[in-house]
Amino acid sequence: MRAARTVSAVDSHTEGMPTRVITGGVGPIPGATMAERRRHAVEHLDPLRRFLVDEPRGHSAMSGAILQPPTRPDADWGVLYIEASGFLPMCGHGTIGVATVLVETGMVTVTEPETTVRLDTPAGLVEARVAVRDGVAEQVTLRNVDSFAVAQDATVDVPGLGTVRYDMAYGGNFYAIVELDRIGLPFDRARKDEILAAGLDIMRAVNAQSRPAHPVDPLINGCKHVQFLAPGSHARHSRNAMAIHPGWFDRSPCGTGTSARMAQLHARGELPLHTEFVNESFIGTRFTGRLVGTTRAGGLPAVVPEFTGRAWITATATYLLDPADPFPHGFVL
């Protein structure tokens, strides 16, 4: 058995969405902060990302997280998020997966009934409170990065769809939030190809007309997510089909999307602080969220979101690259 590259991982899924947690085989990435490390990875390590998430080792909806030494003294681990669309500043379901893996593999000091894990991410410090019983991580509550509304009732002209009305919000990534029935499609997995195509068209149009950018870190920019709301969604219980660039659906309710949705609802005066909000995925799994405070992000009014979900370890693996492998960086079909 030959290997030009060897990477160890613990695979998990969070409410249906995979997270491949890279525990070995990747050294410290250059950068004084995780944001700088993400910038370096975007410029120099994309072949590694593709090796881990694309076929034949991954798939079109693969997601992962590379563990790193933290760059700040108040964090236990640093995390660099990877998925089919690139290197993310933050990933909610991925962080739940990371926290679960760290606890159940003993990579952090575990206390019961709750273990707090502080993670240094490109979007900022994220605190994960893990409910632990008999060594098992039963659920994880994340205090996410500051989230905020960017635009309400914005419109964009989309070829084939006409004028589409959307709200834009940030919860670690930018989300165009669209009522699905306004574009004439049902909340039906049998129509998923049409919904996904509409989402990609909306992303392209939004980025061409009014590309969002974070007021503090301009590297966090662009809309790669469209959160399609099912009919009947409201400020206590929302259902979504989350279309993501370059062409897949989030299987989980989406953690950063839940944060963005709560920020949008709060900006509209519909979701008060300390009020339970349930966000349901396209496959019926759920996160429960709440807003625990207000703040400001680069001068913009913002909220402090928390959400709770579950993850399960599915495998431990060592991924190898044979020197003769014709797909050293994977492929996309």
Side-chain angles (χ1 to χ4, degrees), residues 189-204:
R189 284 160 61 183
R191 304 285 294 275
K192 65 182 187 301
D193 292 343
E194 296 166 80
I195 297 171
L196 183 58
L200 296 175
D201 287 343
I202 291 170
M203 288 175 218
R204 282 190 288 268

Side-chain angles (χ1 to χ4, degrees), residues 31-240:
T33 66
M34 287 308 298
E36 289 184 9
R37 289 179 178 177
R38 175 177 176 253
R39 186 175 297 113
H40 177 90
V42 168
E43 295 173 355
H44 302 288
L45 298 181
D46 202 54
L48 171 65
R49 178 193 66 82
R50 293 163 54 200
F51 170 81
L52 292 167
V53 302
D54 286 345
E55 295 185 67
R57 298 163 197 87
H59 52 77
S60 61
M62 193 67 210
S63 180
I66 301 172
L67 294 180
Q68 288 280 289
T71 65
R72 49 192 295 167
D74 55 351
D76 300 298
W77 285 91
V79 186
L80 189 67
Y81 300 100
I82 56 175
E83 66 175 31
S85 65
F87 292 91
L88 297 182
M90 174 57 191
C91 178
H93 93 269
T95 304
I96 290 175
V98 166
T100 298
V101 166
L102 290 174
V103 166
E104 294 199 1
T105 59
M107 295 177 71
V108 293
T109 300
V110 178
T111 58
E112 298 190 17
E114 184 174 272
T115 297
T116 298
V117 182
R118 294 176 177 86
L119 298 171
D120 185 8
T121 82
L125 184 71
V126 175
E127 180 184 276
R129 302 193 306 275
V130 187
V132 185
R133 183 169 62 179
D134 298 328
V136 175
E138 294 190 320
Q139 64 178 25
V140 180
T141 297
L142 296 186
R143 178 163 293 189
N144 196 15
V145 298
D146 297 342
S147 303
F148 50 88
V150 177
Q152 295 180 14
D153 296 320
T155 58
V156 62
D157 292 329
V158 182
L161 296 176
T163 300
V164 174
R165 185 177 301 277
Y166 69 96
D167 286 358
M168 180 65 68
Y170 175 82
N173 298 287
F174 285 103
Y175 291 82
I177 301 172
V178 178
E179 294 179 13
L180 186 55
D181 55 2
R182 286 197 173 189
I183 62 169
L185 288 172
F187 190 78
D188 184 347
R189 284 160 61 183
R191 304 285 294 275
K192 65 182 187 301
D193 292 343
E194 296 166 80
I195 297 171
L196 183 58
L200 296 175
D201 287 343
I202 291 170
M203 288 175 218
R204 282 190 288 268
V206 166
N207 287 325
Q209 175 179 295
S210 185
R211 186 179 183 89
H214 196 281
V216 177
D217 183 357
L219 186 63
I220 302 175
N221 67 80
C223 176
K224 294 184 178 180
H225 303 74
V226 174
Q227 186 168 172
F228 285 115
L229 304 179
S233 294
H234 52 79
R236 299 298 179 269
H237 183 188
S238 185
R239 295 185 298 153
N240 77 82

